[in-house]
Amino acid sequence: MKVLVVGGGAREHALIWRMAENPTIDKLFAAPGNAGMAKDAECVRVAVDDVPGIADLVERQRIDLTVVGPEIPLVAGLADELLERGRLVFGPTKDAARLEGSKSWAKSLCERYGIPAARSRTTTSMEGAVEALDEFEAPYVMKADGLAAGKGVAIVADRDEATVWLRAALEQRTFGAAGASVVIEEFLSGTEVSAFALSDGRDVLPLTFAQDFKRVGDGDAGPNTGGMGAYSPVPFVDDATADEILNDVLVRTVRAMESEGARYSGVLYAGLMLTDEGPKVLEFNARFGDPETQVIVPRLGSDLAELCLACAEGNLALYKTNLSPQSCVTVVLASGGYPDTYETGFEIEGLAEAKSVEGALIFHAGTAERGGRVVTAGGRVLSVGALGDDVAEARARAYEAVSRISFDGMRFRSDIAANAAEGGSA
Ligand code: AMP
Ligand code: GLY
């Protein structure tokens, strides 16, 4: 079997790394891939949003299965294009990817099918937005409706700030078309957790839970990022909560999509708040999380490629997951200045030394090879983690590996999984 992984981050490196061990895979491709994946996959220079370019690659190389990492190609219709060309794809169609691509659509689905989520209002006008603010109390939670690379959410303490943000989104179009419509919703307090399940459109196979750290600085200070670290499993999600999430959120959502005539296949990632009233959906994603994948895939004992194929072929009912009880922690090493502007091209040192730490797992994100050296080439550069018998052990090993790596301007959070390692909740 020939498999293509679409994407070029640490998430896709983790997917490739796991699939490279699979003897049924003859060849792996990555589009566009990165320096870390090049050992296991042929990296082809095609951009993730080049739908026809990727589909042509699949036909030219007779690729049997395409696994899509990021949301952009899904929302742009890559799965539809591949299905039209008679190819198998792991990832939802454009209609099904609306779960992530349109927050207002996802909200309305939740309302119509009783999927627990924060109460919300959607509007396209300043007038409507001001009225909507009256219905909620501070802090105000406002979201650009469309894809905004994780930057389209604002939580502000007062009404004036809320109005400024809304005006910027609706009138000045700071988020472009993604902010032409905005969702204003109730602020939920509690503990955040990410839930992952596979689906072939009908059956749902729960994977596991993870927690990620979105803010750039220790103690959740500073702006949101793509994610600065993660760990899995999450010790404070008990069996009863896990069942509730599976039945009331994951299964109900897949059934709802079926009823809507947009069967959902691929991985369903629900961002949840565990509130006093039970788990509630903050957002859906139509793909694996980054950096959550880097801590889930290493725990997946069963064959990842077979599970992806089962989702694509529609026979997931025949499969089970076999997750290791071990814990996994990953720490993102980012360029100085990230998530704002940063420089690239700095040599990365200590990769081999880091790899020699017991249980260490090093996944590349923004890296490139230059004259036999690995250099920085993006905001998030590496995802450095480790497996261990519990969170504390995995965490200690991950930070030991981190301490052996260096590049100019390197920044990372020093508190990833710190509370969980001490038995706390976030
Ligand atoms: P989202 O992209 O919708 O997951 O939002 C980004 C982050 O904003 C989430 O990870 C939460 O930390 C926070 N957030 C989003 N919606 C809410 C809400 N309704 N109440 C409290 N925090 C929220
Ligand atoms: N970890 C956040 C995301 O993948 O969207």
Side-chain angles (χ1 to χ4, degrees), residues 211-222:
Q211 205 170 28
D212 82 338
F213 294 77
K214 288 199 171 95
R215 303 278 185 153
V216 75
D218 282 2
D220 286 334

Side-chain angles (χ1 to χ4, degrees), residues 366-381:
T367 66
E369 191 152 337
R370 199 175 293 162
R373 293 181 172 169
V374 182
V375 299
T376 64
R380 291 192 292 177
V381 176

Side-chain angles (χ1 to χ4, degrees), residues 103 118 141 143 150 153 155 185-189 192 212 214 224 271 273 282-283:
K103 287 186 191 279
V141 181
K143 303 181 178 183
V153 176
I155 302 178
E185 70 181 38
E186 161 198 24
F187 178 83
L188 298 176
S189 13
E192 260 186 89
D212 82 338
K214 288 199 171 95
N224 265 328
M273 189 72 87
L282 294 177
E283 63 163 353

Side-chain angles (χ1 to χ4, degrees), residues 133 136-142 154-158 162 185-188:
L133 286 179
F136 300 96
E137 282 162 22
Y140 298 102
V141 181
M142 301 165 298
I155 302 178
V156 302
D158 72 56
E185 70 181 38
E186 161 198 24
F187 178 83
L188 298 176

Side-chain angles (χ1 to χ4, degrees), residues 11 71 100 149-150 194 196 211-214 225-230 269 283-285 287-293 380:
R11 165 182 52 203
E71 63 278 16
E100 174 164 5
S194 308
F196 295 86
Q211 205 170 28
D212 82 338
F213 294 77
K214 288 199 171 95
T225 68
M228 294 299 286
Y269 157 5
E283 63 163 353
F284 284 114
N285 294 305
R287 50 165 176 90
F288 278 114
D290 186 347
E292 292 99 321
T293 304
R380 291 192 292 177

Side-chain angles (χ1 to χ4, degrees), residues 86-109:
R87 300 283 159 175
L88 288 169
V89 58
F90 175 81
T93 59
K94 187 177 179 168
D95 277 355
R98 271 184 301 177
L99 262 189
E100 174 164 5
S102 169
K103 287 186 191 279
S104 63
W105 191 86
K107 280 283 174 193
S108 129
L109 189 87

